[in-house]
C-alpha cells in the first residue's frame, strides 16, 4: 500500500475527529430553492468541517414552524424576519405556551417577493372580491401582500386571505388554478411565469428593500449553544461563497436539479441567476441582514399587525454578535 503524504493524513485525521464530535442540530425550513446553500453545505462537508451535524426538516407552514421552534423541537429556523418580529410582539398567528423570545442571527434572502395571478388577471384592481392564497393571514409575506394590494387600490375589505401553506404550496395552488393569486418568492416565481401566470407587482420595485427569509433562533438556546450556532453559521458562509462562485455554477445547477427533480437544467440556471446574478435581491452571501429591508418589514407590520403597535427599531429583533464571531473565526482560520 502506498504512503499518503503527511498533509493528507493530517486532513483525514482532522475530518474524522470533527465528525466524531459533531454537535447535532435540528433545522426547520420551508421547502424550495432558497435552501440551495443548505444542500451545498451538506454535500461539500462544510457542516462536518465546522463541527455540526444538521438534520433538516421541511415545514408545511409557519404556524408549525414557530410553535415547534419555540417548544424546543427545533434549534434553528429558516423563516421570514416578519415571523420573528410578530411573535416577539405578541402578534403571531399561532398560540404559544411561553414567550417566543426569537431573534434573527444571520441573513438569508433579500427581496424577491412577487405578486402573481392567473393569466386572465391583468391588474391588482381585478382581485377585488377574490380569495388570495397566503401561508398565515397575520404574519410573514401576508402583510407584504396587503401593502401591495393597498398600493394597487384595494382595502382589506375588498379581498379575502385564504390559508394555503408555504410558498411552494401556494405556487402549486396557483398553477392548479386553486387560487387566483398569491405572493411568492424568487426563484419559485420562475415556473408559474414560464407557464403564463402574470406578474402583478414586484415588491422591491413597488415598495423598496425587504428582508425576507433569514436564520432565527430562541435567545436562550443561542446563549447556551453558541459554539454550535457559530459553527453552523461558518458552514453556511462557506456554502454561500462556494455557491456564489461562478466557476461552480454548473455543479450547483446539477445539485439544484438533484434536490428539485421537477426542475429542468434551464430552470436551475435561471434560479442561480435570480439568487446570485447580482442586483439588490437574492442570496445574502455575506450573511448580513439588510437593516433597511428590516425597517420596511417593521413599517408594514406597524400598519397591519394586530394588536397595533409602532415598531421602529430593527436591532431589537436582531443579534449580529454570532455572525461577527463566525466571520472572525473564518478569517482567522484562513490565515497561513
Amino acid at each position: 500500500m502506498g504512503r499518503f503524504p503527511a498533509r493528507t493524513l493530517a486532513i483525514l485525521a482532522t475530518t474524522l475527529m470533527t465528525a466524531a464530535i459533531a454537535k447535532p442540530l435540528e433545522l426547520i425550513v420551508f421547502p424550495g430553492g432558497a435552501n440551495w446553500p443548505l444542500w451545498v453545505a451538506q454535500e461539500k462537508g462544510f457542516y462536518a468541517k465546522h463541527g455540526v451535524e444538521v438534520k433538516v426538516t421541511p415545514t408545511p407552514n409557519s404556524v408549525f414552524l414557530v410553535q415547534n421552534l419555540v417548544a424546543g423541537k427545533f434549534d434553528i429556523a429558516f423563516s421570514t424576519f416578519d415571523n420573528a418580529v410578530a411573535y416577539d410582539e405578541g402578534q403571531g398567528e399561532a398560540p404559544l405556551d411561553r414567550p417566543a423570545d426569537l431573534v434573527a442571527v444571520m441573513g438569508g434572502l433579500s427581496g424577491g417577493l412577487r405578486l402573481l395571478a392567473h393569466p386572465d388577471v391583468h391588474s391588482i384592481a381585478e382581485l377585488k372580491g377574490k380569495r388570495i392564497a397566503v401561508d398565515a393571514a397575520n404574519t410573514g409575506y401576508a402583510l407584504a401582500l396587503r401593502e401591495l394590494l393597498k398600493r394597487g387600490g384595494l382595502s382589506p375589505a375588498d379581498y379575502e386571505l385564504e390559508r394555503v401553506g408555504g410558498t411552494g404550496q401556494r405556487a402549486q395552488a396557483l398553477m392548479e388554478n386553486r387560487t387566483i393569486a398569491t405572493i411568492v418568492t424568487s426563484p419559485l416565481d420562475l415556473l408559474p411565469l414560464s407557464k403564463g401566470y402574470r406578474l402583478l407587482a414586484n415588491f422591491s420595485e413597488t415598495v423598496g428593500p425587504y428582508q425576507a427569509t433569514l436564520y432565527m433562533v430562541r435567545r436562550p438556546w443561542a446563549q447556551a449553544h453558541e459554539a454550535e450556532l457559530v459553527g453552523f453559521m461558518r458552514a453556511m458562509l462557506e456554502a454561500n461563497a462556494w455557491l456564489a462562485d461562478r466557476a461552480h455554477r454548473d455543479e450547483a445547477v446539477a445539485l439544484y436539479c438533484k434536490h428539485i427533480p421537477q426542475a429542468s437544467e434551464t430552470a436551475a440556471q435561471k434560479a442561480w441567476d435570480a439568487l446570485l446574478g447580482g442586483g439588490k435581491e437574492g442570496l445574502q452571501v455575506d450573511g448580513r441582514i439588510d437593516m433597511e429591508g428590516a425597517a420596511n418589514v417593521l413599517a408594514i407590520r406597524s400598519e397591519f399587525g394586530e394588536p397595533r403597535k409602532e415598531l421602529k427599531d430593527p436591532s431589537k429583533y436582531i443579534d449580529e454578535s454570532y455572525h461577527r464571531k463566525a466571520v472572525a473565526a473564518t478569517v482567522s482560520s484562513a490565515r497561513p
Side-chain angles (χ1 to χ4, degrees), residues 133-148:
V134 295
D135 173 15
N138 301 312
T139 59
Y141 299 140
L143 272 62
L145 170 64
R146 288 180 182 270
E147 180 68 20
L148 292 175

Side-chain angles (χ1 to χ4, degrees), residues 66-73 87-88 90 94-102 218 220:
V66 172
Q67 285 183 324
N68 286 281
L69 177 65
V70 172
K73 294 181 180 178
Y87 285 96
D88 278 354
L96 302 176
D97 62 359
R98 70 200 75 184
D101 215 358
L102 298 174
R218 296 194 74 234

Side-chain angles (χ1 to χ4, degrees), residues 100-167:
D101 215 358
L102 298 174
V103 64
V105 293
M106 181 177 175
L109 295 179
S110 177
L113 275 65
R114 313 283 190 257
L115 173 55
L116 303 185
H118 189 275
D120 292 340
V121 177
H122 295 82
S123 69
I124 289 177
E126 294 178 34
L127 295 177
K128 186 172 183 178
K130 306 298 185 182
R131 301 175 74 182
I132 304 171
V134 295
D135 173 15
N138 301 312
T139 59
Y141 299 140
L143 272 62
L145 170 64
R146 288 180 182 270
E147 180 68 20
L148 292 175
L149 295 174
K150 183 190 78 170
R151 295 192 181 214
L154 300 184
S155 72
D158 289 330
Y159 54 86
E160 182 180 349
L161 298 182
E162 180 181 14
R163 296 168 178 83
V164 170
T167 306

Side-chain angles (χ1 to χ4, degrees), residues 7 25 28 50-51 63 89 108 126 142 152-153 174 176 232 255 261 279 295 301-302 311:
R7 178 174 174 79
L25 291 175
I28 186 166
H50 295 290
V63 168
E89 292 293 344
E126 294 178 34
L174 179 66
E176 293 175 356
F232 170 80
L255 184 60
R301 174 149 290 281
S302 295
L311 309 175

Side-chain angles (χ1 to χ4, degrees), residues 41-335:
Q42 193 69 57
E43 295 274 344
K44 294 296 175 183
F46 296 153
Y47 288 140
K49 176 181 176 181
H50 295 290
V52 293
E53 181 180 348
V54 181
K55 179 184 177 183
V56 180
T57 299
T59 185
N61 52 56
S62 62
V63 168
F64 179 90
L65 180 148
V66 172
Q67 285 183 324
N68 286 281
L69 177 65
V70 172
K73 294 181 180 178
F74 298 100
D75 304 315
I76 305 171
F78 188 52
S79 185
T80 65
F81 177 58
D82 180 79
N83 278 335
V85 177
Y87 285 96
D88 278 354
E89 292 293 344
Q91 297 176 323
E93 186 147 329
L96 302 176
D97 62 359
R98 70 200 75 184
D101 215 358
L102 298 174
V103 64
V105 293
M106 181 177 175
L109 295 179
S110 177
L113 275 65
R114 313 283 190 257
L115 173 55
L116 303 185
H118 189 275
D120 292 340
V121 177
H122 295 82
S123 69
I124 289 177
E126 294 178 34
L127 295 177
K128 186 172 183 178
K130 306 298 185 182
R131 301 175 74 182
I132 304 171
V134 295
D135 173 15
N138 301 312
T139 59
Y141 299 140
L143 272 62
L145 170 64
R146 288 180 182 270
E147 180 68 20
L148 292 175
L149 295 174
K150 183 190 78 170
R151 295 192 181 214
L154 300 184
S155 72
D158 289 330
Y159 54 86
E160 182 180 349
L161 298 182
E162 180 181 14
R163 296 168 178 83
V164 170
T167 306
Q169 292 165 290
R170 298 197 307 276
Q172 190 64 34
L174 179 66
M175 292 186 289
E176 293 175 356
N177 297 322
R178 291 186 284 112
T179 185
I180 196 166
T182 190
I183 189 165
V184 303
T185 50
S186 187
L188 285 170
D189 61 327
L190 298 175
L191 183 57
L193 290 173
S194 72
K195 293 181 177 295
Y197 289 85
R198 197 173 299 278
L199 173 64
L200 296 184
N202 177 330
F203 189 94
S204 295
E205 294 176 357
T206 304
V207 182
Y210 187 89
Q211 178 58 57
T213 47
L214 42 61
Y215 297 94
M216 65 184 191
V217 298
R218 296 194 74 234
R219 290 181 189 273
W221 180 89
Q223 292 163 2
H225 298 86
E226 179 180 307
E228 296 98 300
L229 179 56
V230 171
F232 170 80
M233 294 169 71
R234 291 184 67 190
M236 295 314 305
L237 289 171
E238 191 165 354
N240 287 349
W242 185 95
L243 186 58
D245 187 340
R246 188 169 287 273
H248 300 146
R249 187 171 184 261
D250 290 345
E251 188 178 351
V253 163
L255 184 60
Y256 188 95
C257 293
K258 174 183 175 180
H259 286 270
I260 305 183
Q262 66 270 31
S264 66
E265 182 177 336
T266 299
Q269 291 169 343
K270 289 181 178 179
W272 192 95
D273 292 339
L275 292 176
L276 295 149
K280 298 180 179 179
E281 297 186 317
L283 179 68
Q284 293 171 301
V285 177
D286 62 2
R288 295 292 302 275
I289 294 171
D290 176 7
M291 286 300 184
E292 185 180 357
N296 278 340
V297 172
L298 297 192
I300 293 169
R301 174 149 290 281
S302 295
E303 180 172 1
F304 295 106
E306 295 291 345
R308 292 294 178 90
K309 294 183 179 182
E310 190 71 19
L311 309 175
K312 293 184 177 181
D313 182 12
S315 65
K316 178 181 177 182
Y317 316 96
I318 298 168
D319 186 343
E320 295 183 294
S321 66
Y322 302 102
H323 177 263
R324 289 194 292 268
K325 289 174 182 177
V327 171
T330 300
V331 170
S332 177
S333 66
R335 292 184 183 133

